[in-house]
Amino acid sequence: MLKHRKASQLLLSPIVGTLLQFRGDFIKAKEYHEKALAINKETGHREGEARCYGNLGTVFQSLGEYINAKEHYEKALAICIEIGHRHGEATTYGNLGTVFHSLGEPIKAKEHHEKALAINIEIGHRKGEATCYGNLGTVFRHSLSEYIKDKEHHEKALAINIEIGHRKGEATCYGNLGTVFQSLGEYIKAKEHYEKALAINIEIGHRQGEAACYGNLGTVFHSFGESIKAKEHHEKALAINIEIGDREGEATCYGNLGTVFQSLGEYVKAKDYLEKAIAIFIETGDRRGEAASYGNLGTVLSYLGEYIKAKEYLEKALAINIEIDHREGEAKTYGNLGTVFQSLGEYVKANEYLEKALAINIEIGHREGEAKTYGNLGTVFQSLGEYIKTKEYIEKALAISIEIG
């Protein structure tokens, strides 16, 4: 009877855990995966043990606990290699790749995704192949050519997911393509892709994906200057992330709401939300999120006239962005530091930082950032009394703004 009960638990615990995970109930999912792990260890079922470590890794990753996630994935990988389980090995390399990406280690992320892709192609696993193309598409976005390459990767992944009827993967691809279009300043296309992703996530009951889509749509509405719509979407995303216990998602929402309140001129509220975001990003080890929040907080403090504090936070953001090789974040921070120096009347320094921002924005094909920087440089040249250059830069900013809508 006891043996029968264990067999039943062995079968049901991982299934229930995965279902709870899919619904976004990560704490309960963790309990079921830990039960399954204990039974698999006791019974000497190595493949099941590896699967449980992998499942626990995804739970910790969803909770923003990246170090814990990495440790569990590494245990799963070691067992998969030991028993020759190629499918599990590929999946785990891919999962480790996404963790390294979240930890701001893009080189390691790329290496792991490429290992996963090679195995999936070798064993003919089309779904895994699609996932790898999508993951590789998110790792490097340094230049216009790399954005085009990202787009191609995500389109390959989308085609495979549609072909095999993998709806969750299809939604992920639409979301990733939305992010690429958004980075290229093509906001209408970004919105269309995010809405497709949202519709599928609602249809299949994928709460974490639904929250991500609301957040992404919020950032698009913010780019359109529709701050109220942006706020509504970020609040929907925040509510879901708190409900399902997704700490990383919660932090992202606090950061996004901070930038929206900044746009609405509610700087004290913006500061409060950004400080909440920073606390969680530090706790979860999300360096990219931490850098973005420091940068946004620096901008808010400059609006409040606290330029020295603003400079300190922006320098923290810049250091992290350089460390993790996040070129778009680096450009944005140089631009924000430029405006701070401008406010302090240090126009030569302002010009230096804005020129650095412009160079990176042109290199990575970030048209919105390029337009904004031309505009800021125009105002700096105006302060320096160089009116010919002022006119030239403002006209460049205007031309790009019209082009990207």
Side-chain angles (χ1 to χ4, degrees), residues 233-304:
H233 281 76
H234 290 314
E235 284 172 344
K236 282 181 183 177
L238 178 62
I240 296 170
N241 282 312
I242 290 171
E243 175 199 320
I244 66 178
D246 184 349
R247 293 288 278 163
E248 184 188 3
E250 185 184 344
T252 301
C253 292
Y254 284 132
N256 288 335
L257 280 164
T259 59
V260 168
F261 283 119
Q262 179 188 328
S263 299
L264 292 167
E266 298 186 41
Y267 301 123
V268 176
K269 266 193 183 176
K271 183 171 171 284
D272 290 345
Y273 276 97
L274 288 166
E275 284 171 346
K276 283 180 183 178
I278 289 167
I280 298 172
F281 283 133
I282 290 171
E283 173 199 318
T284 61
D286 186 340
R287 297 289 277 160
R288 188 166 169 171
E290 187 185 344
S293 300
Y294 279 135
N296 290 332
L297 184 54
T299 306
V300 167
L301 288 166
S302 70
Y303 279 116
L304 290 167

Side-chain angles (χ1 to χ4, degrees), residues 213-403:
C213 291
Y214 279 127
N216 288 334
L217 280 164
T219 60
V220 168
F221 283 120
H222 191 228
S223 298
F224 284 144
E226 297 186 41
S227 300
I228 303 301
K229 272 193 182 176
K231 180 175 168 281
E232 287 168 5
H233 281 76
H234 290 314
E235 284 172 344
K236 282 181 183 177
L238 178 62
I240 296 170
N241 282 312
I242 290 171
E243 175 199 320
I244 66 178
D246 184 349
R247 293 288 278 163
E248 184 188 3
E250 185 184 344
T252 301
C253 292
Y254 284 132
N256 288 335
L257 280 164
T259 59
V260 168
F261 283 119
Q262 179 188 328
S263 299
L264 292 167
E266 298 186 41
Y267 301 123
V268 176
K269 266 193 183 176
K271 183 171 171 284
D272 290 345
Y273 276 97
L274 288 166
E275 284 171 346
K276 283 180 183 178
I278 289 167
I280 298 172
F281 283 133
I282 290 171
E283 173 199 318
T284 61
D286 186 340
R287 297 289 277 160
R288 188 166 169 171
E290 187 185 344
S293 300
Y294 279 135
N296 290 332
L297 184 54
T299 306
V300 167
L301 288 166
S302 70
Y303 279 116
L304 290 167
E306 299 182 41
Y307 299 119
I308 305 303
K309 270 192 182 176
K311 183 173 163 284
E312 286 170 12
Y313 279 103
L314 288 167
E315 283 170 346
K316 282 184 183 180
L318 181 62
I320 297 170
N321 280 315
I322 290 170
E323 176 199 321
I324 66 173
D325 200 22
H326 182 32
R327 296 290 276 162
E328 189 179 329
E330 189 183 340
K332 187 178 179 184
T333 313
Y334 278 127
N336 288 336
L337 276 163
T339 58
V340 167
F341 283 119
Q342 187 178 351
S343 298
L344 290 167
E346 298 184 40
Y347 301 119
V348 176
K349 265 196 180 175
N351 182 56
E352 283 171 15
Y353 278 90
L354 288 166
E355 292 284 3
K356 284 180 182 178
L358 180 63
I360 298 169
N361 280 315
I362 290 170
E363 176 199 323
I364 65 174
H366 191 257
R367 298 291 277 162
E368 184 189 7
E370 189 183 342
K372 189 177 177 183
T373 311
Y374 277 128
N376 288 335
L377 277 163
T379 61
V380 167
F381 285 122
Q382 186 178 2
S383 299
L384 290 166
E386 298 186 37
Y387 301 115
I388 304 298
K389 276 192 176 177
T390 299
K391 181 173 176 287
E392 178 193 329
Y393 278 86
I394 296 294
E395 282 173 351
K396 283 181 180 179
L398 183 61
I400 296 169
S401 296
I402 291 167
E403 178 197 319

Side-chain angles (χ1 to χ4, degrees), residues 27-94:
I27 306 302
K28 274 193 182 171
K30 180 173 168 281
E31 289 170 14
Y32 276 93
H33 289 315
E34 283 171 344
K35 279 181 190 174
L37 177 62
I39 297 166
N40 277 302
K41 277 184 169 179
E42 188 185 328
T43 58
H45 189 338
R46 296 290 276 162
E47 186 183 336
E49 188 182 341
R51 193 181 301 114
C52 292
Y53 279 127
N55 287 335
L56 281 163
T58 58
V59 167
F60 284 120
Q61 190 173 351
S62 297
L63 290 168
E65 298 182 35
Y66 300 119
I67 304 302
N68 261 345
K70 180 175 167 282
E71 286 169 4
H72 282 77
Y73 286 144
E74 283 170 346
K75 285 179 182 177
L77 181 62
I79 297 170
C80 286
I81 291 170
E82 175 200 320
I83 65 175
H85 186 15
R86 296 290 276 163
H87 182 184
E89 189 183 341
T91 301
T92 313
Y93 276 127

